[in-house]
Amino acid sequence: MITLSSYLRDTWHRGQDPQTLLYDPTLYTALAQTSTRGLDLAGALQHGRTIGGPTLRAMTFAQRGELLDQLSKAIHGARDALIDVSRQNMGTTRSDAKFDIDGAAGTLAFYANLGKTLGDRTFLLDGEAVRFSRSARFLGQHILTPRVGIAIHINAFNFPAWNLCEKLATAFLAGMPVLAKPGTATAWLSVKIVELWLEQNLLPPGVLQLLVGSAGDVLDHVGPQDAIVFTGSGATGQEIRKHTQVIAHNVPVNVEADSLNALVLAPDVTEGSDLFHMAVAEIVREMTQKAGQKCTAIRRIFVPHEQADALKAELLARLGDIRIGDPAHDGIQLGPLAGPAQQRDVQAGVAELAKHAENVFAGRAPETGCFVGPQLFWNHAGLHAEYVHDHEVFGPVATVMPYDGSADLAVQLVARGGGSLATSVYSDDAAWSQTVLLGIAPWTGRVYWASSKVFDQGVGHGAVMPSLVHGGPGKAGGGEELGGERGLRFYWMRTAVQGDVQLLKAVLG
Ligand code: NAP
């Protein structure tokens, strides 16, 4: 069996026994093991702060962008080998593996380009100089400089490539070194990517460390210039926010957590229309892509009463056609969940959901391996529904909830999820959509508005674009990542500098 190590202080370190197992979820066999016991995590954080940080801060944005470009190209060049690792360690179909791996390379490439645009500077001005007194000579200027600590990235298991790279891209471009901790269950792909970068000699000393296994005592050693970016469950996010050292040093924490994302069909989207078919296809894709293990996946579907029967008929037909099985075989659309723990969680969630909603479709799954067939639920309780609006079942699971088609109720239903990452709205009716879009905006990080003229041009509800923000309020964690230059701001200090306009110009440019 493979034993994975952590890359700390520029060398690989193996943790002490006992080890945690990583599985091949298709075969339900142990694939690798890892441990972080006994590793010097205080030393690792300090290494990043003292070796990696100064190196990155001395580089211009263009040079940091060049580094990201090389990291992106390395991933692209090893695409097939990485897809194979993803299939083995996560049970992904080829297309699901590409979603993760191409997304990783694409996000790095996007930030590489942004680096080129930001050019030969090492810090940025924020806005124009501000006059605050009678004197036109003594002015104020806001500047943005990288924090001089280390960025600690704690990731979920579902995107071992993309999650590593989307966070690293913004931190590196902002000028901060990173200690990344992938979700243990699928960490092998993250290890492979870092090995690849090291083989090609792309990483300057100290800029990137990889902690493979439990987070151990890493948070006990955070300091006032560090930053934490977390993706995972709301419960873990809260634990991190409440950590004594995090509180003591007011370490900024960005949380991306559970989200009960919705798709809302408007009354104008009639049965048989292109938009209607598009919505059906999108719901099925969201349920099955990556076996529903996507933070942005559609969990709640609000359909006007008039269209509910037609939607049910179409969904049942489409879900019945889904081919589930070993992702190594051609034509398989739905592989297993990422591991035994994930399978147990989803099975428990499905059992609980079944107490509160009717299970109208339960896909048959292979008996060996960590499979769960697609599960479609139906619930008529609207705003009063229990469990459906509150608990995310992180697998191929969604619930349809018929409603009266009013824009106001649509807003309330979306909001009932307590804050989401992404909401899809299907409508050509501008007045209805205006009420819904503006009403749900405070409750959702991204709105995917599908209408007849563009329904076939979008990238789909679940795709996170580096140029747009990713995050959501409330239950979704209250965080924000990506969004072009906005994604760098988390790693910067904004300082107001007051002084002589001529000297400010000479020093700040
Ligand atoms: P999780 O159990 O919360 O774990 C997330 C990460 O936190 C893992 O790396 C985990 O390590 C680590 N962790 C666990 N306890 C910790 C602690 N006390 N201190 C520091 N780190 C700790 O979540 P998951 O099961 O990996 O992911 C599924 C959840 O993530 C779902 O609820 C999903 O909604 C959410 N998610 C959200 C987004 C988003 O962008 N909003 C994206 C993806 C997933 P180990 O793996 O070693 O336990």
Side-chain angles (χ1 to χ4, degrees):
M1 189 184 335
I2 308 157
T3 299
L4 302 178
S5 297
S6 291
Y7 187 70
L8 305 172
R9 290 174 287 119
D10 301 321
T11 45
W12 293 97
H13 297 263
R14 187 178 162 167
Q16 296 160 359
D17 288 346
Q19 307 274 326
T20 301
L21 294 177
L22 283 71
Y23 288 85
D24 177 331
T26 309
L27 305 175
Y28 214 135
T29 50
L31 185 68
Q33 57 180 4
T34 191
S35 162
T36 59
R37 281 183 187 78
L39 300 182
D40 174 12
L41 302 186
L45 295 188
Q46 194 56 10
H47 183 75
R49 292 179 195 119
T50 53
I51 306 293
T55 304
L56 279 170
R57 293 195 297 276
M59 292 162 76
T60 64
F61 286 109
Q63 289 168 331
R64 295 173 205 160
E66 179 56 30
L67 169 61
L68 297 180
D69 188 47
Q70 290 172 4
L71 300 183
S72 170
K73 286 182 174 139
I75 291 181
H76 193 68
R79 192 169 178 246
D80 279 333
L82 296 175
I83 286 172
D84 195 48
V85 172
S86 174
R87 181 185 56 74
Q88 287 184 63
N89 188 197
M90 219 187 144
T92 44
T93 62
R94 186 173 168 81
S95 124
D96 288 351
K98 284 196 287 188
F99 192 59
D100 186 20
I101 291 159
D102 292 349
T107 304
L108 287 166
F110 173 88
Y111 278 99
N113 268 330
L114 180 59
K116 215 184 280 176
T117 312
L118 294 175
D120 290 332
R121 308 195 55 143
T122 55
F123 67 93
L124 289 184
L125 303 184
D126 181 32
E128 301 292 319
V130 181
R131 184 170 164 176
F132 49 83
S133 67
R134 273 201 204 148
S135 167
R137 173 110 201 189
F138 194 72
L139 299 183
Q141 172 69 57
H142 292 95
I143 62 168
L144 299 165
T145 55
R147 303 172 73 84
V148 294
I150 181 165
I152 299 163
H153 293 168
I154 300 178
N155 288 323
F157 70 83
N158 59 339
F159 280 97
W162 177 78
N163 231 195
L164 171 75
C165 295
E166 54 99 16
K167 286 188 173 50
L168 176 156
T170 45
F172 276 11
L173 191 57
M176 275 196 90
V178 169
L179 180 137
K181 191 208 110 42
T184 303
T186 58
W188 192 28
L189 181 57
S190 309
V191 171
K192 279 286 172 197
I193 290 173
V194 174
E195 280 176 355
L196 179 73
W197 290 339
L198 290 169
E199 277 159 26
Q200 298 186 19
N201 226 358
L202 301 180
L203 294 170
V207 299
L208 178 64
Q209 301 179 76
L210 191 73
L211 185 62
V212 186
S214 138
D217 64 357
V218 72
L219 295 181
D220 293 348
H221 310 292
V222 294
Q225 285 290 317
D226 298 338
I228 301 171
V229 188
F230 169 77
T231 295
S233 63
T236 310
Q238 284 179 17
E239 259 186 70
I240 291 173
R241 278 207 173 104
K242 285 191 301 204
H243 191 283
T244 357
Q245 286 307 305
V246 172
I247 293 172
H249 294 295
N250 292 311
V251 181
V253 183
N254 190 81
V255 174
E256 304 290 350
D258 317 346
S259 178
L260 287 140
N261 310 294
L263 180 146
V264 188
L265 271 180
D268 64 288
V269 183
T270 49
E271 176 188 351
S273 65
D274 286 343
L275 257 189
F276 187 83
H277 289 306
M278 187 66 193
V280 170
E282 192 69 341
I283 293 165
V284 172
R285 174 163 64 169
E286 287 295 304
M287 287 179 71
T288 52
Q289 190 173 47
K290 298 205 91 217
Q293 299 165 113
K294 269 185 357 208
C295 52
T296 49
I298 294 165
R299 306 290 176 196
R300 301 176 298 151
I301 299 133
F302 303 121
V303 55
H305 294 298
E306 290 72 26
Q307 282 97 297
D309 286 344
L311 182 70
K312 188 189 269 182
E314 293 242 7
L315 284 176
L316 296 192
R318 296 289 290 266
L319 289 171
D321 287 342
I322 293 293
R323 292 188 60 198
I324 173 166
D326 182 341
H329 297 154
D330 282 347
I332 291 296
Q333 294 156 288
L334 179 62
L337 295 166
Q342 287 71 25
Q343 185 189 31
R344 279 194 299 275
D345 277 359
V346 171
Q347 285 169 338
V350 166
E352 199 55 40
L353 195 49
K355 295 179 190 162
H356 303 278
E358 185 191 354
N359 193 185
V360 294
F361 184 89
R364 277 234 305 272
E367 279 170 17
T368 50
C370 304
F371 292 92
V372 172
Q375 308 286 327
L376 187 69
F377 286 85
W378 217 263
N379 179 294
H380 291 278
L383 291 171
H384 306 291
E386 288 176 16
Y387 198 81
V388 181
H389 298 291
D390 302 316
H391 296 275
E392 180 192 31
V393 184
F394 207 55
V397 184
T399 303
V400 177
M401 307 182 79
Y403 77 112
D404 67 6
S406 79
D408 287 337
L409 183 55
V411 170
Q412 289 177 51
L413 286 164
V414 170
R416 180 71 175 77
S420 309
L421 295 172
T423 306
S424 273
V425 176
Y426 279 66
S427 180
D428 283 322
D429 180 336
W432 185 94
S433 299
Q434 184 183 41
T435 304
V436 172
L437 295 188
L438 299 181
I440 65 175
W443 292 99
T444 192
R446 178 164 58 83
V447 179
Y448 190 85
W449 182 8
S451 55
S452 296
K453 296 236 166 76
V454 294
F455 77 92
D456 56 349
Q457 291 170 32
V459 290
H461 165 102
V464 174
M465 309 305 296
S467 48
L468 301 176
V469 292
H470 171 61
K475 194 173 190 57
E480 186 180 286
E481 291 183 281
L482 302 171
E485 196 190 305
R486 295 173 189 87
L488 310 187
R489 296 198 172 223
F490 183 73
Y491 301 100
W492 283 337
M493 177 66 199
R494 188 198 322 266
T495 305
V497 184
Q498 294 163 285
D500 178 331
V501 64
Q502 299 297 348
L503 288 174
L504 284 177
K505 224 178 172 47
V507 171
L508 303 177

